[in-house]
Amino acid sequence: MDTAKKRPFDEMQLANDAVRDIYALYAEWLRDVPLAQLESKRLEAELLFRRVGITFNVYGETAGAERLIPFDVIPRILAANEWSKLSDGAIQRVKALNMFLHDIYHDQEIIKAGIVPASVLTNTQYRPEMQGIDVPNNIYAHIAGIDIVRTGESEFYVLEDNLRTPSGVSYMLEDRKMMMRLFPDLFRRYSIAPVEHYPQVLLNNLRAVAQPGVTDPVVALMTPGAYNSAYFEHAFLAQQMGIELVEGQDLFVRDNAVYMRTTEGPRKVDVIYRRIDDDFIDPLAFKADSMLGVPGLLSVYQNGGVTLANAVGTGVADDKAIYIYVPEMIRYYLGEEPILANVPTYQLSKEDDLKYVLAHLPELVVKEVQGSGGYGMLVGPAATKAEIKEFTLRIVSNPSNYIAQPTLALSTCPTLVEQGLAPRHVDLRPFVLSGKAVTLVPGALCRVALRDGSLVVNSSQGGGTKDTWVLNHA
Amino acid sequence: MLSRTADHLYWMARYIERAENMARVLDVTANMSLITNPADQTESALWRPALQICGDVIAYDEAYGECTAANVIKFLTMDDNNPSSIYSTLRSARENARAVRVAMTSETWESINTLWLEFSQFIGADFSKSGLHEFCEWVKARSHLFRGVSFGTMLRDDSFRFLRLGSFIERADNTARILDVKYHILQPIDEETGGVDYYAWSAVLRSVSSFQAYQKVFRDTIDPKRVAEMMVLRNDMPRSLHACYEEIVSIVQQLSDRRPTECKRLSGQLLSSLRYGKMETIFEQGLHEFLGDFLRSNNRLGGEIQRTFFNAAEV
């Protein structure tokens, strides 16, 4: 494969340097804007973000150290028809994934049908505690972040599904607010679909999944606390939805119900939008030393006394080892062809795949099955010989812990960097909401790898964000 | 509202108020050191009261020993080992705010976050050499801004009430301490030698922003008894004990609308002693004793607020 040497698809410019139609108005505007002005807008944005406290904690750095996620002032633009394909594809995927979760925690027909191997039940993300438990509307992943990358005009791939506690939606909303503030004239030139109603849609969905019989459900957002890397987002969403932002210590369990401690005494909570992993929600059921959870929460949940969003045990469907079966799930549950393709994936637990991967490491991306946030991965083309050697040892010692994928030439988007405007690789994470219906607002978190040539867009690895514009027309 | 949220708001406001009062005491003390004749008062005699007002004399003696202007200033401004230095109190205020940013308006949160971001410009400064006055002015201005923004933008709900409650409990405590320490140390003004004590008493007034008010009200030379009256009994003086307790009682009433609480009783009792008290009686009893009782009662109310609203049992 020598595709890596070819110039990757660019969101703004075609191979012959002509500007893509949807960027035409932008390019025209950009011609009259000196670089220094863009730079000063970027600085202004940084100042505003810092003042508002839109900061991010990075694991492994001094506790409490706060950093900004770099914000890029050049938008990623998607045409209406591009968006409708992505949107349909993401909705289709989440529908199938929710059906898979319901199936796997009930009759396991998909295993009997021989489509997904029974080994899924030994996956650490499979929660036997959920077996036979009914959840309202059969919805498990109420909020799903689907990571999509592009390699050509009409070539989109799903890189991974995030069904546990996907984050980043606050950047979709804050980046938009910032762009409207910095460049109001651009919003007059373009007809851009609004995203600001996301919190309202989310709240309606959360209220819709209260247990049957609850009339005016009380919803709360549960955060691990102010030192969590995504705390800003938790606070932001709670505020936007007008619901309480609670920590484990604010909740307690009594008579098969969950209560908040308030200044006027206990108040019952019906739906918990929890931004805290399964392992930490209940020290009686999972990690006993977790200080973040609520003792007894799981048993109330199992008995239908409260709804958790997302449900416990969704990790079994977004695990990288399960990912490869998603296209088959779509066919099996929905009887449809997948609208969005998977990236071809090698499973290192299979001997043939392992052999191939070990021989081709310099051109592949290898990921830990349960890793997230860009930790524990090898990007072959960017790795040194020593790194590849070291990673080989890790793979050989536990092959089933890894999958590998070809290095995709992710599309690029012009980005403001030190040297001026330069193409940088981007991805896209739209957020699919399920509750009443399955929907998404026309927008997404767009992450950009700021280092030249880098394909890793994770914020924990120095990635930045861009506003994503979905146009109201083609 | 969530007990934890109420707790954070209350303490956030207390810490901001504490930082402001600290800045007032420091500023006035530094100013005094310019006026006082060094022959009359030693450096230690001048700066020790600032330590006594702001709390921890023992911790200071352990860490620094000798009481010098430079050391006291360092201890009370930037020392991160001193939990009540301006640095530490502002950091605590910001940490409390960060934990409950949802419970206040974004303007209020930003006023605190900006305060903390701006604070970094003072890191490493040596205020014993220069810049102390500017720093104190900055702390006061930031505290005013916080108060103004919260007052001007927040919904009049329990969040607002707990925030205000924190401000007034802390302010009552600080005013009582300032008066107690100063009154203890200063002598009544000697008709003949007057000078220094005049400045000393006007400094006390300035530390609670009451110098101009005093002149407006009494149109007379400064009389220590009237200074005490201004700071204890006058309801129209916004930093007096009486004014603080008018606010506290009204807030506590609203918070415990539907139930009888010990907070209600305690604060009401204290208010009536301030509302109907007479300065002569207080002086007969001894101002120091009166203020000591007041500080203890104020503390007890603080503990009761904690118990009733923040650490409420599950049942």
Side-chain angles (χ1 to χ4, degrees):
Chain A
M1 286 210 310
D2 65 344
T3 46
K5 290 189 187 88
K6 232 173 59 191
R7 199 170 91 178
F9 178 81
D10 190 83
E11 303 287 339
M12 181 157 160
Q13 267 173 336
L14 297 168
N16 61 8
D17 279 346
V19 172
R20 290 180 67 225
D21 286 350
I22 47 168
Y23 271 93
L25 285 170
Y26 187 82
E28 192 183 297
W29 173 88
L30 195 59
R31 258 200 304 278
D32 300 329
V33 177
L35 210 56
Q37 192 183 327
L38 281 184
E39 179 57 26
S40 83
K41 292 286 187 191
R42 190 190 67 76
L43 282 174
E44 186 184 340
E46 197 177 304
L47 214 67
L48 287 166
F49 277 139
R50 213 173 266 289
R51 201 177 77 197
V52 179
I54 305 185
T55 48
F56 189 83
N57 299 341
V58 177
Y59 289 111
E61 289 191 0
T62 335
E66 292 160 27
R67 287 207 325 220
L68 280 180
I69 293 192
F71 164 73
D72 186 63
V73 294
I74 318 237
R76 164 142 192 208
I77 306 179
L78 290 166
N81 59 353
E82 290 173 335
W83 174 253
S84 74
K85 177 183 169 171
L86 295 183
S87 162
D88 292 348
I91 287 176
Q92 179 192 51
R93 216 172 154 95
V94 170
K95 275 185 184 162
L97 286 164
N98 269 316
M99 292 172 84
F100 168 73
L101 282 161
H102 180 260
D103 187 17
I104 214 74
Y105 288 122
H106 287 81
D107 299 335
Q108 304 175 342
E109 300 288 352
I110 199 165
I111 297 177
K112 293 174 196 155
I115 292 167
V116 169
S119 65
V120 64
L121 302 177
T122 61
N123 189 300
T124 53
Q125 291 301 314
Y126 168 79
R127 301 284 181 193
E129 296 85 352
M130 290 298 291
Q131 194 61 49
I133 303 293
D134 290 322
V135 297
N137 302 2
N138 292 340
I139 290 171
Y140 290 76
H142 308 81
I143 301 101
I146 308 296
D147 289 349
I148 297 172
V149 296
R150 182 179 208 175
T151 58
E153 181 70 45
S154 53
E155 290 150 51
F156 292 93
Y157 293 97
V158 173
L159 205 55
E160 64 183 32
D161 308 290
N162 297 278
L163 307 180
R164 297 173 217 188
T165 56
S167 67
V169 77
S170 58
Y171 292 93
M172 169 178 96
L173 299 168
E174 286 290 339
D175 286 0
R176 173 62 55 84
K177 214 159 90 188
M178 185 60 74
M179 287 297 276
M180 292 176 83
R181 177 174 179 152
L182 297 178
F183 307 108
D185 44 334
L186 278 172
F187 284 80
R188 280 190 287 273
R189 287 177 189 230
Y190 275 101
S191 168
I192 302 161
V195 293
E196 291 80 357
H197 55 298
Y198 177 88
Q200 212 47 54
V201 179
L202 176 57
L203 181 60
N204 288 340
N205 274 310
L206 291 171
R207 290 171 61 93
V209 293
Q211 294 288 342
V214 176
T215 43
D216 188 14
V218 173
V219 183
L221 194 157
M222 183 176 175
T223 173
Y227 294 102
N228 183 266
S229 61
Y231 178 70
F232 159 73
E233 177 159 308
H234 307 161
F236 172 85
L237 287 173
Q239 188 167 42
Q240 294 285 311
M241 292 191 279
I243 62 176
E244 292 288 0
L245 178 66
V246 299
E247 294 179 15
Q249 52 173 310
D250 298 322
L251 300 175
F252 68 94
V253 157
R254 196 177 65 201
D255 303 336
N256 196 38
V258 180
Y259 294 89
M260 297 190 270
R261 297 173 214 274
T262 82
T263 53
E264 291 166 282
R267 180 157 187 227
K268 187 167 172 278
V269 185
D270 304 301
V271 180
I272 301 175
Y273 173 25
R274 48 98 177 206
R275 295 291 299 261
I276 176 170
D277 290 339
D278 286 357
D279 278 338
F280 300 97
I281 59 165
D282 181 351
L284 299 183
F286 302 114
K287 280 200 171 145
D289 58 350
S290 167
M291 305 292 286
L292 306 171
V294 185
L297 179 59
L298 183 76
S299 87
V300 176
Y301 178 55
Q302 286 171 320
N303 292 320
V306 70
T307 302
L308 296 179
N310 291 349
V312 171
T314 52
V316 73
D318 75 359
D319 190 277
K320 291 185 181 73
I322 303 298
Y323 163 83
I324 49 171
Y325 301 107
V326 177
E328 281 306 315
M329 287 178 201
I330 293 172
R331 293 186 188 98
Y332 178 74
Y333 292 116
L334 302 174
E336 299 170 4
E337 272 307 299
I339 299 169
L340 292 173
N342 261 15
V343 181
T345 302
Y346 303 98
Q347 291 172 278
L348 305 202
S349 51
K350 293 184 181 165
E351 211 165 308
D352 287 353
D353 283 10
L354 177 63
K355 236 160 88 184
Y356 176 85
V357 168
L358 287 178
H360 294 82
L361 277 177
E363 59 204 55
L364 297 170
V365 177
V366 187
K367 298 175 185 173
E368 270 183 47
V369 172
Q370 280 143 23
S372 71
Y375 293 98
M377 66 188 278
L378 175 83
V379 181
T384 63
K385 277 196 173 140
E387 281 166 342
I388 289 180
K389 205 168 155 199
E390 196 249 285
F391 218 87
T392 307
L393 295 176
R394 279 162 65 179
I395 294 172
V396 173
S397 73
N398 186 8
S400 61
N401 195 34
Y402 296 92
I403 56 152
Q405 293 168 337
T407 315
L408 297 180
L410 303 194
S411 65
T412 57
C413 187
T415 301
L416 185 62
V417 296
E418 265 178 52
Q419 303 78 21
L421 292 185
R424 289 289 182 270
H425 295 291
V426 290
D427 83 342
L428 198 69
R429 175 183 290 181
F431 294 87
V432 182
L433 300 177
S434 311
K436 278 181 181 161
V438 187
T439 56
L440 64 180
V441 301
L445 165 69
C446 173
R447 298 183 295 181
V448 52
L450 293 173
R451 261 180 298 133
D452 190 14
S454 169
L455 293 166
V456 185
V457 294
N458 302 73
S459 48
S460 50
Q461 309 286 312
T465 69
K466 281 171 173 292
D467 189 15
T468 306
W469 294 357
V470 173
L471 302 185
N472 283 322
H473 48 76
Chain B
M1 67 184 300
L2 282 184
S3 299
R4 182 177 52 84
T5 307
D7 194 352
H8 282 302
L9 288 168
Y10 171 85
W11 280 103
M12 168 186 83
R14 280 196 76 156
Y15 282 124
I16 297 262
E17 188 71 28
R18 194 173 292 179
E20 179 187 335
N21 281 296
M22 185 94 62
R24 289 170 177 282
V25 169
L26 272 170
D27 199 19
V28 166
T29 308
N31 206 23
M32 276 291 290
S33 72
L34 302 178
I35 294 167
T36 320
N37 180 353
D40 291 348
Q41 274 199 322
T42 62
E43 201 174 337
S44 162
L46 189 66
W47 285 94
R48 197 133 185 105
L51 278 178
Q52 289 168 314
I53 292 168
C54 301
D56 211 339
V57 181
I58 296 165
Y60 175 87
D61 288 344
E62 275 173 10
Y64 293 88
E66 203 189 347
C67 182
T68 65
N71 283 345
V72 173
I73 290 171
K74 181 164 181 243
F75 181 69
L76 295 181
T77 56
M78 305 301 276
D79 189 342
D80 58 2
N81 289 319
N82 173 13
S84 38
S85 69
I86 292 180
Y87 169 82
S88 302
T89 44
L90 290 180
R91 187 185 52 195
S92 304
R94 200 260 184 172
E95 271 173 15
N96 276 285
R98 189 165 134 78
V100 291
R101 51 186 291 171
V102 179
M104 60 193 107
T105 53
S106 43
E107 287 100 324
T108 309
W109 154 248
E110 280 176 34
S111 81
I112 291 188
N113 198 40
T114 306
L115 174 158
W116 185 242
L117 294 174
E118 281 180 13
F119 193 88
S120 60
Q121 66 179 298
F122 297 112
I123 301 275
D126 183 354
F127 294 128
S128 63
K129 292 201 170 66
S130 66
L132 180 63
H133 175 66
E134 289 73 15
F135 175 67
C136 292
E137 286 293 310
W138 176 83
V139 173
K140 279 192 271 177
R142 276 291 161 197
S143 171
H144 292 324
L145 187 63
F146 161 74
R147 192 161 38 244
V149 168
S150 55
F151 191 82
T153 63
M154 281 179 69
L155 188 69
R156 281 355 184 214
D157 60 0
D158 285 354
S159 293
F160 182 70
R161 291 183 194 111
F162 280 110
L163 185 153
R164 299 279 287 177
L165 189 57
S167 301
F168 291 115
I169 294 272
E170 183 69 25
R171 187 183 294 176
D173 176 88
N174 287 284
T175 298
R177 278 167 189 268
I178 291 174
L179 186 59
D180 191 27
V181 169
K182 288 293 184 182
Y183 213 93
H184 206 46
I185 287 161
L186 292 171
Q187 300 301 314
I189 295 178
D190 185 319
E191 300 269 316
E192 285 165 30
T193 57
V196 168
D197 286 334
Y198 166 80
Y199 287 112
W201 278 111
S202 62
V204 172
L205 284 170
R206 282 182 215 278
S207 70
V208 289
S209 284
S210 314
F211 183 65
Q212 289 165 4
Y214 182 94
Q215 292 181 316
K216 214 170 156 181
V217 171
F218 296 108
R219 299 186 187 283
D220 201 355
T221 51
I222 292 175
D223 166 12
K225 287 198 173 157
R226 284 180 174 166
V227 173
E229 189 186 338
M230 289 279 292
M231 291 171 74
V232 176
L233 291 187
R234 281 199 77 99
N235 184 26
D236 51 2
M237 250 300 301
R239 310 192 81 81
S240 76
L241 305 186
H242 184 181
C244 290
Y245 264 82
E246 289 287 352
E247 299 277 0
I248 289 169
V249 164
S250 130
I251 295 168
V252 167
Q253 292 282 2
Q254 294 174 61
L255 286 174
S256 28
D257 212 9
R258 286 174 289 276
R259 51 190 167 142
T261 60
E262 177 67 6
C263 298
K264 236 182 201 171
R265 196 191 63 77
L266 267 178
S267 56
Q269 192 179 34
L270 220 47
L271 175 61
S272 54
S273 75
L274 294 163
R275 201 183 262 172
Y276 305 111
K278 274 168 70 178
M279 219 53 220
E280 292 80 39
T281 329
I282 292 174
F283 276 111
E284 274 164 30
Q285 179 201 344
L287 182 66
H288 178 61
E289 285 67 29
F290 173 84
L291 290 172
D293 283 349
F294 175 85
L295 281 168
R296 276 186 294 279
S297 302
N298 191 53
N299 245 336
R300 217 162 93 217
L301 176 60
E304 205 51 49
I305 289 169
Q306 198 84 30
R307 202 183 62 81
T308 309
F309 298 109
F310 309 155
N311 308 335
E314 291 179 5
V315 199

